[in-house]
């Protein structure tokens, strides 16, 4: 019996240690087999000696029966909320107030991510997890202990090798779903015929409030610990020390928390979070800045629910609700019908979105997206916006389920669906949207005007597989052509030269050459004059495009919809890469300033600017900012990191400059 008890204790320690290494440190040291062996051995001991089972045993992560209701719990200390700072000025106003209230005494600030999840409180008595609760209204929360036990990164018992354990400690943190988990949970929701969750926060909340802990256990929930609440016998005197204590006691603490003596540094760290957001595997809605010293925190106190010693530096959310006005159709180069969403313009993560992809008819029907619906839009990084699904609540009567039209919107021929494929196609092999027509148009007189590359040659190049997309012309070599019938060395070289020369065709022609439906040479020139660059046109909403003189709203929508198609987007990228002219004089207002006419690409993490911040700064100086390095790039502004663009710039001989060098340039150096 004593032997069993000792062994059980040892196994629990081994299992928690392995758990911590696997789920918190992401550095496992034992094999799955070894770990499973320990769990089975512990289960066997506990089966034989039920009196040895403790609630904090790793065998108890899943095991509680479903409950019908969550009990109410009163928090030992209220769980506060956070005031927001949305701009630098608001941040500085907060700092000024701290300085005033602390009579000019120095203070340290801690910056940390503001994770978009659900606040929870975890109570430990003598190192054992005894109760977990949601924030609720801050005073009363719900007891979700059984569900929280299933979250692998929450320690059930604390290690005692870092000093004596306090009689009581309340750990606070955010339970969240990593983005991948969010996508997976939503797929499962849709497959089960349920509505998808609006954002990772809602899905985390939904997962944590499951009546059956076994359901919660299947959701990949994770924790970031960010504070200590009530405690007895802890002896920690600052927030920074509290974070260290949490880490030492196996709680997951963000590796990116920082301590600052200078508030300007803290603000720069907040901007850093803004810029890195798209690369993170979880959603953040900004950064939190906290005064570290507990003594100073006490002196500063709170206004209502918001402590004066903390502030949330917010960034706009990456999901938003809007109305799906219509479902439009794009016909791709292969004749594929690609539906897209025409949206009431909405700001998502700082960018106005009016179009989104919809993939195919099956996907639209499975998600049950209908014209006129309120829909959830998601934008992650630079990716084309997605329609996640209809919002949980619809304002009025919904429209009919959507279906693919019978006829091609470009040539009016019947639309067919290939066996076993989700995609629909235009049945007309000569549909103007198709490859051959498009390629012939691309090299034609009024477009790229490639001398010596006519109808017959285009057909031949397609047949032998040398050219399938416009960018393929720019990869051809004289040797490729010589291998074809009817070419002599001289004629092959001349053709290649003509292709090379076409790179100098002005931007308006390139735009026309793309063959965007309804964009003839005049419209193309008007768009080129109005936007001045492919980047600007591509980023424009249908409404902005319609503001160009001579471009109506129907064509504007077609143009915006064309760029939403990933295939089209990749053609534009490849042509930019090939060095075609993607900018031209903007007739409406030509830029002025020390960097007028210069094209910049930015890469890596900058010290003094966020991504949006630097773009604004550069355009303010008259420069144009594009995404990829090409022969047309004047400078690559590089911060820390940013490998591939740097390599590309070096390869093309584009000067790579630092922030300091930019300042010199801007000053006329
Ligand atoms: S501190 C000062 N730190 O934001 C006490 N909260 O808007 C407030 N949150 O309810 C909590 N990340 O759910 C704190 N690093 C972080 C946070 C964080 C996310 C959430 C938390 C809180 C809400 C307040």
């Amino acid at each position: 019996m004593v032997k069993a008890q000792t062994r059980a204790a040892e196994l629990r320690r081994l299992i928690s240690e392995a758990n911590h290494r696997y789920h918190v440190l992401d550095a496992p040291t034992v094999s799955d087999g070894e770990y499973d062996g320990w769990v089975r051995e512990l289960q066997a001991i506990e089966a034989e000696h039920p009196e040895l089972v403790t609630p904090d045993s790793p065998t108890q992560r899943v095991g509680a029966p479903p409950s019908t209701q969550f009990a109410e719990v009163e928090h030992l200390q209220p769980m506060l909320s956070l005031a927001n700072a949305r701009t630098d000025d608001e941040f500085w106003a907060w700092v000024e107030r701290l300085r005033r209230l602390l009579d000019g005494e120095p203070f340290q600030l801690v910056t940390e991510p503001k994770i978009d999840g659900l606040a929870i409180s975890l109570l430990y008595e003598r190192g054992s997890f005894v109760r977990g609760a949601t924030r609720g209204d801050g005073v009363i929360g719900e007891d979700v202990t059984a569900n929280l036990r299933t979250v692998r990164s929450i320690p059930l018992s604390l290690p005692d090798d870092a000093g004596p354990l306090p009689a009581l400690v309340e750990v606070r943190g955010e339970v969240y779903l990593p983005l991948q988990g969010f996508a997976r949970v939503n797929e499962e929701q849709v497959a089960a015929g349920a509505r998808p969750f609006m954002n990772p926060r809602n899905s985390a909340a939904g997962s944590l409030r499951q009546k059956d802990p076994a359901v919660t256990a299947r959701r990949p929930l994770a924790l970031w610990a960010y504070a200590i609440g009530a405690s007895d016998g802890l002896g920690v005197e600052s927030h920074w020390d509290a974070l260290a204590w949490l880490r030492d006691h196996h709680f997951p603490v963000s590796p990116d928390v920082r301590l600052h003596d200078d508030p300007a540094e803290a603000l720069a760290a907040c901007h850093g979070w803004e810029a890195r957001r798209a690369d993170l595997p979880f959603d953040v809605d900004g950064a939190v800045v906290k005064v570290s010293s507990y003594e100073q925190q006490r002196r500063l106190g709170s206004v209502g629910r918001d402590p004066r010693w903390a502030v949330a530096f917010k960034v706009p959310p990456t999901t938003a609700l809007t109305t799906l006005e219509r479902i439009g159709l794009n016909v791709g180069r292969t004749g594929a019908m690609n539906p897209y969403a025409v949206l009431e313009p909405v700001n998502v993560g700082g960018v106005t979105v009016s179009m989104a992809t919809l993939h195919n008819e099956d996907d639209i029907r499975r998600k049950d997206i209908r014209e006129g619906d309120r829909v959830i839009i998601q934008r992650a990084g630079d990716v084309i916006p997605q329609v996640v699904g209809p919002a949980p609540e619809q304002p009025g009567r919904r429209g009919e389920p959507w279906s693919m039209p019978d006829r091609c919107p470009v040539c009016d021929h019947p639309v067919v669906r290939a066996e076993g494929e989700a995609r629909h196609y235009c049945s007309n092999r000569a549909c103007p949207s198709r490859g051959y027509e498009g390629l012939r148009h691309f090299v034609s007189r009024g477009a790229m005007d490639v001398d010596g590359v006519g109808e017959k040659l285009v057909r031949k190049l397609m047949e032998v597989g040398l050219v399938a997309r416009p960018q393929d012309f720019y990869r051809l070599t004289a040797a490729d052509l010589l291998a074809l019938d009817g070419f002599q060395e001289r004629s092959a070289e001349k053709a290649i030269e003509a292709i090379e020369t076409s790179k100098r065709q002005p931007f308006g022609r390139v735009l026309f050459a793309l063959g965007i439906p309804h964009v003839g040479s005049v419209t193309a020139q008007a768009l080129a004059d109005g936007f001045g660059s492919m980047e600007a046109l591509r980023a424009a909403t249908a409404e902005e495009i319609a503001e160009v003189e001579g471009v109506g709203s129907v064509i504007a929508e077609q143009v915006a919809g064309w760029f939403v198609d990933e295939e089209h987007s990749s053609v534009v990228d490849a042509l930019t890469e090939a060095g075609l002219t993607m900018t031209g004089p903007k007739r409406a207002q030509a830029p002025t300033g020390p960097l007028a006419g210069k094209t910049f690409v930015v890469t890596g993490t900058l010290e003094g600017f966020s991504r949006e911040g630097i773009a604004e700064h550069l355009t303010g100086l008259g420069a144009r900012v594009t995404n990829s390095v090409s022969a047309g790039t004047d400078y690559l502004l590089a911060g820390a990191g940013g490998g591939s663009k740097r390599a590309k710039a070096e390869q093309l001989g584009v000067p790579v400059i630092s922030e300091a060098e930019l300042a010199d340039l801007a000053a006329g150096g």
Side-chain angles (χ1 to χ4, degrees):
M1 173 70 202
V2 174
K3 237 180 105 194
Q5 193 170 5
T6 320
R7 180 63 183 157
E10 185 180 3
L11 287 166
R12 281 179 197 139
R13 199 181 46 71
L14 286 169
I15 295 168
S16 330
E17 184 66 35
N19 228 345
H20 172 241
R21 299 199 63 88
Y22 185 92
H23 291 285
V24 179
L25 303 180
D26 207 11
T29 41
V30 295
S31 70
D32 290 359
E34 205 168 349
Y35 179 86
D36 291 344
W38 290 337
V39 174
R40 273 198 302 274
E41 189 186 343
L42 180 60
Q43 280 167 338
I45 295 176
E46 289 179 347
E48 209 174 307
H49 306 280
E51 67 284 1
L52 291 184
V53 180
T54 57
D56 66 358
S57 171
T59 58
Q60 303 303 300
R61 284 216 182 254
V62 191
S67 68
T68 46
Q69 216 187 336
F70 299 111
E72 285 191 346
V73 291
E74 191 173 341
H75 295 298
L76 300 178
Q77 268 177 17
M79 289 183 77
L80 299 174
S81 181
L82 285 170
N84 292 326
R86 285 196 176 74
T87 59
D88 289 9
D89 285 349
E90 287 178 21
F91 172 83
W92 286 115
W94 175 72
V95 170
E96 273 318 306
R97 193 170 58 168
L98 292 181
R99 285 188 175 134
R100 210 172 51 241
L101 294 170
L102 294 173
D103 292 324
E105 155 187 323
F107 53 86
Q108 291 186 304
L109 296 174
V110 176
T111 49
E112 40 195 82
K114 186 167 193 306
I115 308 108
D116 197 11
L118 191 75
I120 51 140
S121 145
L122 305 166
L123 215 56
Y124 290 81
E125 281 173 7
R126 293 254 162 256
S128 274
F129 176 52
V130 292
R131 193 194 75 192
T134 60
R135 175 175 183 274
D137 64 4
V139 178
I140 308 275
E142 284 177 320
D143 186 330
V144 286
T145 312
N147 286 346
L148 283 171
R149 260 203 200 107
T150 70
V151 178
R152 301 283 157 166
S153 51
I154 295 181
L156 297 180
S157 57
L158 306 183
D160 55 8
D161 47 11
L165 290 166
L168 176 140
V169 63
E170 183 204 6
V171 174
R172 290 176 174 181
E174 198 84 350
V175 161
Y176 68 98
L177 266 179
L179 289 176
Q180 240 183 0
F182 170 57
R184 201 189 87 196
V185 167
N186 262 352
E187 268 165 31
E188 287 170 7
Q189 286 287 108
V190 169
R195 286 278 157 79
F197 289 110
M198 170 80 187
N199 52 38
R201 181 182 54 249
N202 288 357
S203 65
S207 301
L208 199 57
R209 296 189 73 263
Q210 288 292 328
K211 302 287 184 223
D212 183 356
V215 175
T216 308
R218 286 198 296 273
R219 304 275 169 89
L221 289 169
L223 170 80
W224 283 127
Y226 57 61
I228 289 177
S231 68
D232 176 10
L234 189 64
V236 163
E237 272 315 313
S238 73
H239 179 56
W240 186 247
D241 290 346
L243 294 176
W245 188 93
L246 289 169
R247 202 179 280 123
D248 289 345
H249 289 82
H250 292 186
F251 288 94
V253 173
S254 164
D256 298 305
V257 295
R258 294 282 179 274
L259 181 67
H260 314 271
D261 289 321
D262 179 359
E265 238 177 57
L267 181 60
C270 292
H271 285 300
W273 276 104
E274 212 173 326
R276 285 182 38 212
R277 174 188 203 190
D279 307 325
L280 295 171
F282 51 86
D283 219 14
V284 293
D285 49 3
V288 185
V289 191
K290 299 171 181 169
V291 171
S292 186
S293 152
Y294 281 171
E295 189 273 322
Q296 288 177 333
Q297 286 187 4
R298 275 189 292 272
R299 258 194 289 153
L300 289 162
S302 320
V303 199
R305 285 282 154 80
D306 302 339
R308 289 197 190 85
W309 46 266
V311 76
F313 194 86
K314 284 252 189 163
V315 295
T318 52
T319 56
L321 272 183
T322 189
T323 303
L324 169 64
E325 290 175 346
R326 249 172 24 72
I327 294 179
L329 262 190
N330 224 313
V331 192
R333 192 185 46 81
T334 54
M337 302 276 167
N338 302 317
Y340 61 84
V342 181
L343 306 164
E344 185 184 309
V346 63
N347 189 305
V348 193
V351 171
T352 305
V353 167
S354 66
M355 296 275 174
T357 45
L358 284 169
H359 307 293
N360 55 55
E361 185 187 48
D362 283 356
D363 199 52
I364 296 171
R365 293 194 148 231
R366 196 157 40 92
K367 292 178 177 163
D368 192 26
I369 297 167
R370 308 185 190 186
E371 289 181 324
D373 273 357
R374 289 293 284 169
V375 287
I376 305 163
I377 307 301
Q378 187 178 13
R379 200 180 65 86
D382 291 329
V383 183
I384 291 166
Q386 307 278 324
V387 177
V388 177
E393 271 165 40
Q394 295 296 335
R397 258 184 74 119
R398 301 181 66 201
E400 292 298 309
W402 186 79
S403 41
M404 187 62 73
D406 301 335
R407 300 201 157 258
C408 170
V410 174
C411 70
D412 205 38
H413 277 64
V415 166
V416 294
R417 179 174 177 165
E419 270 291 313
E421 258 196 72
R423 241 173 236 301
H424 289 73
Y425 291 88
C426 168
S427 60
N428 176 13
R429 291 188 65 83
C431 176
S433 65
R434 292 276 185 138
Y436 166 69
E437 296 292 337
L439 291 174
R440 211 189 51 165
H441 166 75
F442 186 81
V443 292
S444 69
R445 184 62 45 89
M448 301 309 283
D449 191 17
V450 186
D451 223 17
V453 181
E455 240 171 80
K456 257 172 70 185
L457 181 56
V458 171
R459 238 181 236 295
K460 187 100 210 164
L461 289 167
M462 285 184 79
E463 263 167 38
V464 298
L466 276 172
V467 171
R469 295 153 307 172
Q471 61 264 39
D472 299 334
F473 286 116
Y474 297 96
R475 297 198 189 108
L476 289 174
T477 62
D480 288 334
L481 299 184
L482 270 174
L484 304 174
D485 278 352
F487 267 103
Q488 312 282 300
E489 210 150 298
R490 218 181 118 53
S491 55
E493 265 163 24
K494 273 188 76 176
I496 296 298
E497 240 175 70
I499 293 173
E500 195 56 32
T501 310
S502 76
K503 289 184 183 172
R504 294 205 288 271
Q505 291 292 358
F507 172 45
R509 284 224 186 196
V510 176
L511 206 46
F512 172 57
L514 290 176
I516 303 171
H518 309 293
V519 177
S521 57
V522 175
T523 306
Q525 194 54 54
L527 290 170
D529 290 346
F531 286 93
S533 77
M534 190 67 90
E535 268 327 299
L537 174 59
R538 223 174 168 180
T541 64
E543 287 67 26
E544 286 160 350
I545 297 173
E547 279 168 25
V548 170
E549 184 85 17
V551 179
S553 61
V554 176
I555 292 178
E557 189 201 301
Q558 294 264 348
V559 175
W562 191 89
F563 282 105
V564 166
D565 192 304
E566 288 181 34
E567 188 184 300
H568 297 152
S569 213
S570 74
V571 169
V572 173
D573 286 340
L575 292 176
T576 309
E577 193 114 320
L580 271 66
T581 315
M582 294 298 181
T583 59
K586 200 171 154 184
R587 309 264 184 225
Q589 71 249 38
T592 53
L595 302 182
K598 299 289 178 220
T599 304
F600 276 76
V601 174
V602 183
T603 188
T605 312
L606 301 177
E607 306 222 297
F609 293 97
S610 67
R611 267 300 146 101
E612 287 81 18
I614 188 65
E616 252 173 43
H617 179 67
L618 287 169
T619 31
L621 293 167
R624 217 191 307 284
V625 183
T626 64
N627 277 331
S628 51
V629 178
S630 72
T633 308
D634 290 298
Y635 296 101
L636 176 70
L637 172 63
S644 69
K645 285 184 182 169
R646 197 187 275 270
K648 179 93 208 196
E650 276 159 10
Q651 185 195 335
L652 291 173
V654 171
V656 180
I657 62 166
S658 67
E659 280 172 271
E661 287 166 308
L662 171 67
D664 280 347
L665 269 183

